[in-house]
Amino acid sequence: MITGLNHLASGKIRDLYAVGGDLLLVASDRISAYDYVLESEIPDKGRILTQLSMWWFGQLADLVPNHVLTADVDEFPAELAPYKDELRGRAMLCRRLAMVPVECVARGYLTGSGLAEYEKNGTANGVPLPAGLVDGSRLDRPIFTPAMKAEVGAHDENVTFEEMAERTGDPELAARLKDLTLAVYSRARDIAEGRGILLADTKFEFGRLPGGTLVLADEVLTPDSSRFWPADQWHPGRAQPSFDKQYVRDWLTSPASGWDPRSDTPPPALPEEVVQATRARYVEAYERLTGVKFV
Ligand SMILES: Nc1ncnc(-c2cnn(Cc3cccc(F)c3)c2)c1Cl
């Protein structure tokens, strides 16, 4: 948290500030696991994920405009000068949008809440899926599984496309969000698969400019907004290892941590070697996807 800036909102990992008529989206080095924000931070995580978002925005610019004005601290307004070093690489100055109150989720693989509904009803957000799918199954055609944002601390509520159209009161917008979400995700899934990373699913947020133009907002296609799986360890029929969070999960669920995920106690701090190994995974994901060395 940066005192002295006009703080608007905080998520588990990121903070939002008002700067003039624009917004500053700042990514911390915090990491969450088992629905807890851990006390241990991962050095440079916020910078790596911000730079990854910026790279994706560039890869997707022909499909959809985005909300970013700049992520270069030297181009930030003068009032941010005192915070330059703290913000360098981890902040995006963005246009303030009228946000669409829907989490636009695309799934290219079945897992998590999508799998749970499928196992019960053979559907995902009310849409029938082929029979015989298991945890981690690849969906030939990615699916749009929107959710309505939940209160702090609760999980988003999956809704059918029809419910979303009704609750936003704008069926035409709902249809555009579905098409855009699936087109952007499909492009990203193809790019990532070619570089050994499976983007199992992702969550987009959209907003509208004063003129009504629909714009891709928030962060995009990071390991915090998406499930990243290493392609060479993909085995449908079981839980897939997380590209970035598996070391943390394994240590926290090992006897070494002395912690029980079923207890209501917060997880203990991570050993330095788990912190460093996790940092290395963020660096590896960034470098594999962008082809650029993280500095
Ligand atoms: N360009 C925009 N215009 C208007 N609103 C937003 C906006 C609002 N909320 N969020 C999600 C969020 C919540 C907490 C901390 C975060 F860093 C981000 C994004 C954006 Cl990105």
Side-chain angles (χ1 to χ4, degrees), residues 150-165:
E151 296 309 310
V152 174
H155 282 134
D156 296 340
E157 173 203 357
N158 286 347
V159 292
T160 66
F161 175 76
E162 291 70 23
E163 279 166 330
M164 172 196 161

Side-chain angles (χ1 to χ4, degrees), residues 9-11 14-16 23 25 67 94-97 99 218:
S10 280
R14 296 167 306 145
D15 301 301
L16 199 60
L23 292 183
L25 214 162
H67 67 151
C94 303
R95 306 186 66 171
R96 185 178 279 224
L97 305 171
M99 296 302 281
D218 221 359

